[in-house]
């Protein structure tokens, strides 16, 4: 019913792998079944590896959790000078930098900027909140953590993860770079709605989400977490730092908690989400990028850990997550989680369809553009994101956001007045609008965007005209 291309599930209980199965296809267009060695992008489940890497540097005496970021990365700069000066390593890893969730992710997505270039552009995004004022999930802060690792250790983030984690706990085929991933015979291909999509290189998200791994090797990672930093006779990070990472640093809303057995607290540690359920502490993280979906859950008091990897974003991943958790912590539960999440997925798609029906009904018919087609053409720039070009292509207006030209290109359909509908070539994004700013003299100064893409803040982009 979910039309999932492929996924894999592994479960550890009482020190043993009790379940490890793989399903479906690496690529729906090419023969090849998913198996225990198939590599998936684990996306944001990479963040816990980055926190573990910082733990290792703490134990090597090269930094401490309370150190200021600028002391290890002198070029680091944010819009707010106070936050720039006071932000600590701990702040980087606990999402309390003053940014909103997903702020600035358009800097890295779908382009070839280096991690250094991504971090350098962060200074142009204003921090809407104060330091440690509230939770704001930030990929940019974890990308910065990767740069801190490089400046402190002399190794790039992928090199450090290879040496101190993958090699140390027997994860030989896992990697922290997407270089060559699409040509790897063991790689799962990303999909949207069951269709294989073109591979996107995520190297510049680095420490926030660039790891690729298999279900068999992620079991090693799960063992490491269950054993509080030990694997066999090797200590990768100390028990003290294990607890540092899985202790709440930033509060999250846990709901009202009147239900017996429900969640009473929720928070974020360092690279891990945290909550309670049925009297037990749940340590977990999910990961999602276009075409990949993952979940890692560790429940030490039940000697339980499990991993789910998939090559399509889907409600099936949280459904499997919930089913495994209930099997172990609430075995009398008879809820059909697969059906519930499928229904939620259908409703989400339906809401988007209804939104466009409503927008069409509100569209003001028979309006004209304020200026001639050619007058919209030119180069525009948003300081944080970069440049965009609007041109006439065979008589039609066309927009290209230049840093991400391969994905962010669209013809412009006149909607009404100086608003145009666009549909970028990126299959992950819904349609949206470009709205031009034209003053009382009829002069065009720039444009803004409106797109219902919760992972990316197109509405915060402010393009100003820089060339006619």
């Amino acid at each position: 019913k979910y039309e999932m291309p492929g996924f894999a599930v592994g479960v550890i209980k009482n020190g043993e792998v009790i379940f490890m199965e793989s399903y479906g296809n690496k690529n729906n267009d090419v023969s090849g079944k998913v198996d225990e060695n198939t590599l998936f992008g684990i996306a944001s489940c990479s963040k816990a590896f980055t926190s573990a890497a910082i733990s290792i540097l703490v134990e090597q005496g090269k930094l401490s959790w309370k150190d200021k970021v600028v002391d290890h990365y002198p070029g680091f700069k944010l819009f707010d000078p106070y936050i720039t000066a006071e932000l600590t390593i701990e702040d980087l890893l606990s999402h309390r930098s003053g940014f909103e969730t997903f702020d600035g992710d358009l800097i890295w997505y779908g382009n070839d900027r280096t991690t250094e270039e991504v971090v350098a552009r962060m200074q142009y995004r204003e921090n809407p909140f104060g330091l440690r004022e509230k939770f704001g999930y930030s990929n940019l802060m974890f990308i910065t953590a990767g740069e801190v690792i490089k400046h402190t250790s002399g190794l790039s983030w992928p090199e450090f993860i290879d040496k101190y984690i993958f090699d140390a706990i027997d994860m030989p085929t896992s990697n922290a770079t997407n270089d060559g991933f699409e040509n790897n015979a063991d790689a799962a291909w990303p999909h949207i709605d069951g269709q294989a999509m073109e591979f996107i290189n995520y190297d510049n998200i680095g420490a926030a989400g660039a790891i690729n791994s298999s279900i068999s090797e992620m079991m090693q990672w799960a063992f490491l977490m269950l054993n509080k930093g030990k694997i066999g006779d090797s200590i990768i990070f100390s028990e003290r730092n294990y607890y540092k990472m899985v202790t709440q640093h930033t509060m999250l809303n846990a709901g009202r908690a009147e239900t017996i057995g429900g969640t009473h607290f929720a928070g974020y540690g360092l690279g891990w989400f945290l909550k309670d359920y049925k009297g037990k502490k749940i340590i977990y993280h999910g990961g999602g990028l276009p075409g990949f979906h993952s979940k890692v859950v560790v429940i030490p008091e039940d000697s339980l850990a499990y991993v789910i990897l998939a090559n399509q974003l889907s409600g099936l991943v949280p459904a499997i997550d919930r089913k495994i958790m209930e099997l172990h912590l609430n075995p009398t539960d008879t809820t059909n989680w697969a059906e519930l999440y499928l229904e939620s997925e259908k409703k989400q798609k339906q809401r988007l369809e209804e939104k466009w029906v409503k927008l069409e009904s509100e569209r003001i018919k028979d309006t004209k553009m304020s200026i001639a087609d050619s007058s919209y053409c030119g180069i525009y720039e948003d300081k944080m994101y970069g440049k965009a070009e609007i041109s006439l292509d065979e008589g039609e207006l066309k927009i290209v956001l230049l840093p991400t030209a391969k994905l962010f290109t669209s013809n412009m359909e006149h909607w009404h007045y100086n608003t145009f509908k666009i549909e970028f070539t990126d299959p992950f994004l819904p349609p949206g609008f470009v709205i031009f700013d034209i003053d009382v003299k009829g002069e065009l100064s720039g444009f803004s965007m409106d797109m219902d893409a919760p992972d990316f803040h197109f509405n915060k982009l402010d393009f100003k005209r820089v060339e006619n």
Side-chain angles (χ1 to χ4, degrees), residues 367-373 376 397 414 416-418 420 438:
T367 64
K368 295 182 179 180
M369 296 177 275
S370 300
I371 56 179
D373 283 6
Y376 292 97
L397 283 169
H414 183 243
H416 54 220
Y417 299 117
N418 295 301
F420 294 79
I438 297 177

Side-chain angles (χ1 to χ4, degrees), residues 215-234:
I215 198 65
S216 61
E217 294 188 7
M218 285 298 289
M219 292 293 93
Q220 293 294 97
W221 173 245
F223 273 123
L224 180 70
M225 290 303 298
L226 278 174
N227 294 331
K228 301 178 176 61
K230 285 183 65 178
I231 194 150
D233 296 327
S234 300

Side-chain angles (χ1 to χ4, degrees), residues 161-234:
I161 297 296
D162 278 341
K163 180 176 179 178
Y164 288 101
I165 299 182
F166 293 159
D167 290 348
I169 68 172
D170 194 24
M171 298 177 68
T173 66
S174 298
N175 59 72
T177 173
N178 286 272
D179 185 34
F181 184 70
E182 65 270 36
N183 297 317
N184 189 326
D186 285 331
W189 207 260
H191 291 70
I192 291 180
D193 295 330
Q195 300 294 312
M197 58 178 281
E198 191 166 341
F199 185 81
I200 300 171
N201 189 307
Y202 293 114
D203 274 0
N204 63 5
I205 196 177
I211 288 175
N212 306 296
S213 190
S214 65
I215 198 65
S216 61
E217 294 188 7
M218 285 298 289
M219 292 293 93
Q220 293 294 97
W221 173 245
F223 273 123
L224 180 70
M225 290 303 298
L226 278 174
N227 294 331
K228 301 178 176 61
K230 285 183 65 178
I231 194 150
D233 296 327
S234 300

